[in-house]
Amino acid sequence: MTSTRSPLRIGNVSASRADRATATAEFLTAATLDVLALDMLSDEAMLELAGQRATGGPGYEAAALVQIGECLERLGAGGVRIVTNAGALDPEGLASALRELARESGVELAVASVDSGDVTDRAVDLGLGQVDVATVRHGAFGISRALAAGAVVVVTGRVSREALVAGAAAAHHGWTPSALDSLAGSVAVGHVLSGGPGATGVVDSTTDVTRTTDPVTGGYPIAEIADDGCAVVTRHPSAFGSVTVGTVTDQLLDGVAGARYAAPDVVLRLDSLRLAQEGTDRVRINGARGEPAPPVVAVVAMTRGTGGDRRPVRVARPLAQGETGHSVVMPDGARVTVPVPVETAPIGPGELPTPWSPGAVPGGEPVVAVLGSVASVRRGVVGRGVNIAVWTWDDSAFAWLAGELTVERIRELIPGLDGMDIRRYLLPNLRAVNLVARPPRGEVLRPGLGADLTAARLEIPGELLEVGP
């Protein structure tokens, strides 16, 4: 792919073994795309595939063979390209299987693979302890290099959540690692699209579900990414749901801490983003500012649970960029090392770089009502903790929210925060108060923490209730 001023049109869909074989092909038939991000992994799926590999099975998601196999005639010159994380612990194995499948169908398919980042055998040395699987979350430029070299399908492992989208955008527009603002914009878009049907409001954001029962009608999003990183988020034409400033805000707040969000290739300044409704099911994201890549990337480990509920345990640790060992096998079989970022910088503080002054708080006689009548809540994973973001739709409502939801008040409203480290961050541009809670080291986070916050009853200014939804 060469540099171009035409926007990249990229869709995101999640498919599984339970879906009909033609689901992804149907998704492509009904939409005009340059690239499809086929997201088939979760932390729990990595744990399952590790067990599958341990018993002699493939370390990749075999359902990708079924889904991509039905799309072969739509791929290649003049058609769509696919980037998928279905390679899991064996991207080269899935890439080889895809080539063989295509040859059996009379198609020469240019497939590249990004290494899995599997560091399970180093987990103890990396401070993760005895785990079942551990992987480095690689970034965008392995994907970008593969697409630029002519790959029609790029297979990765469990890359960072925004990498499938950011890598495709970098290849399409010819961005280098120094294009920080453009990269930051694509990270924001990738963060939204990775939430799948949450970006269209089809699934309940408090459940952290990223797929629905149908990949075509289930509400999956599409984005149009310009060469400056600005983008419009919309939806698949056959999908249920709506794309609004609210649904996009909700996705942006998933798994973030403060004003800075660190991806492997760039640090996105969340406080720089501006959202605007451009029309029905079209929300523009612009204004993204990027800062140099962080000196570390995330290593995430999963362990099968023990005891009564057998709930899997997730552990995350930082790893220096220079120790990630990132490489790509190109369509011609050449293995190419992906350089680490030339310039890195420590991640800045989560607080806003410039002070924020609240506007006027609505008046009127206070009315006891549930928080959900004036605000929404988004929860996500942040390292070994959780973020609980409360956001609203109106500047005056945010002014009240920022004054009401102090750390002390949050401790009163959410049972189970005793002994936890609580940090509060304001994001006025997203009209959000973001709380990040981390348990003491060695303790496991209680499931569902903050899930009932919208039902909390507070005294809310009467005027504010008059402008709520």
Side-chain angles (χ1 to χ4, degrees):
M1 292 183 179
T2 56
S3 177
T4 174
R5 289 192 176 273
S6 64
L8 169 73
R9 189 168 166 84
I10 182 168
N12 168 273
V13 70
S14 177
S16 76
R17 302 169 197 175
D19 290 318
R20 60 192 180 281
T22 58
T24 301
E26 292 170 29
F27 186 93
L28 293 176
T29 298
T32 302
L33 300 176
D34 299 305
V35 176
L36 175 69
L38 183 58
D39 186 351
M40 303 187 75
L41 292 184
S42 64
D43 288 337
E44 290 74 15
M46 291 295 290
L47 194 54
E48 180 183 348
L49 290 168
Q52 180 174 289
R53 181 178 65 171
T55 58
Y60 56 78
E61 179 47 73
L65 289 169
V66 177
Q67 294 294 324
I68 296 175
E70 294 288 339
C71 304
L72 292 176
E73 72 278 7
R74 295 176 176 82
L75 307 181
V80 69
R81 303 189 185 200
I82 292 178
V83 292
T84 180
N85 57 14
L89 296 166
D90 187 12
E92 288 187 50
L94 178 55
S96 177
L98 284 168
R99 292 188 201 98
E100 181 59 29
L101 177 66
R103 277 194 293 269
E104 291 174 358
S105 302
V107 176
E108 285 298 320
L109 188 64
V111 185
S113 59
V114 180
D115 76 58
S116 66
D118 184 8
V119 291
T120 307
D121 58 350
R122 299 170 53 198
V124 173
D125 293 339
L126 294 175
L128 296 163
Q130 294 289 344
V131 300
D132 292 301
V133 63
T135 55
V136 177
R137 299 296 164 86
H138 292 314
F141 279 99
I143 297 167
S144 174
R145 285 195 164 211
L147 289 170
V152 173
V153 177
V154 181
V155 180
T156 78
R158 183 86 162 120
V159 290
S160 62
R161 63 181 296 173
E162 73 292 323
L164 297 180
V165 172
H172 187 80
H173 293 300
W175 297 335
T176 65
S178 63
L180 296 179
D181 291 346
S182 297
L183 286 169
S186 71
V187 165
V189 179
H191 196 76
V192 173
L193 264 61
S194 70
T200 61
V202 169
V203 298
D204 180 359
S205 65
T206 63
T207 63
D208 202 28
V209 172
T210 59
R211 60 167 279 108
T212 55
T213 55
D214 192 282
V216 181
T217 62
Y220 289 93
I222 289 172
E224 301 158 1
I225 306 175
D227 60 356
D228 61 356
C230 295
V232 171
V233 178
T234 182
R235 64 178 175 85
H236 190 277
S238 300
F240 295 126
S242 300
V243 179
T244 68
V245 169
T247 64
V248 173
T249 298
D250 197 72
Q251 288 302 309
L252 279 171
L253 292 170
D254 176 33
V256 301
R260 291 172 167 87
Y261 175 80
D265 306 297
V266 66
V267 173
L268 164 65
R269 282 271 301 273
L270 283 166
D271 63 300
S272 66
L273 297 178
R274 297 292 180 269
L275 307 182
Q277 193 82 40
E278 276 205 341
T280 303
D281 292 324
R282 293 180 65 82
V283 171
R284 177 168 292 280
I285 304 176
N286 59 20
R289 295 289 305 277
E291 296 176 340
V296 296
V297 296
V299 180
V300 178
M302 294 292 292
T303 306
R304 292 174 184 82
T306 58
D309 63 2
R310 304 285 294 175
R311 187 179 297 275
V313 177
R314 182 184 190 273
V315 181
R317 294 285 186 272
L319 180 67
Q321 290 266 16
E323 297 181 34
T324 59
H326 194 180
S327 65
V328 182
V329 178
M330 296 298 188
D332 63 2
R335 184 178 295 275
V336 177
T337 299
V338 180
V340 300
V342 174
E343 181 185 6
T344 64
I347 303 169
E351 288 76 17
L352 291 171
T354 56
W356 171 74
S357 299
V361 176
E365 189 70 23
V367 177
V368 176
V370 296
L371 179 61
S373 61
V374 295
S376 292
V377 176
R378 177 74 198 202
R379 298 182 303 117
V381 175
V382 179
R384 59 188 178 84
V386 62
N387 84 298
I388 304 168
V390 186
W391 60 271
T392 188
W393 57 90
D394 176 82
D395 288 337
S396 60
F398 174 67
W400 171 78
L401 206 64
E404 175 69 18
L405 295 185
T406 63
V407 171
E408 293 74 20
R409 187 73 171 111
I410 284 291
R411 287 189 184 276
E412 295 173 3
L413 296 173
I414 302 178
L417 292 179
D418 291 345
M420 299 182 70
D421 176 62
I422 310 293
R423 306 286 176 93
R424 188 184 92 138
Y425 304 101
L426 298 180
L427 292 170
N429 57 315
L430 300 178
R431 302 186 183 101
V433 178
N434 193 28
L435 287 300
V436 179
R438 294 183 174 89
R441 192 166 295 278
E443 291 189 13
V444 177
L445 191 70
R446 181 171 69 82
L449 192 67
D452 298 328
L453 184 56
T454 53
R457 300 184 67 81
L458 302 86
E459 287 193 348
I460 299 173
E463 290 181 5
L464 183 55
L465 289 169
E466 293 175 6
V467 299

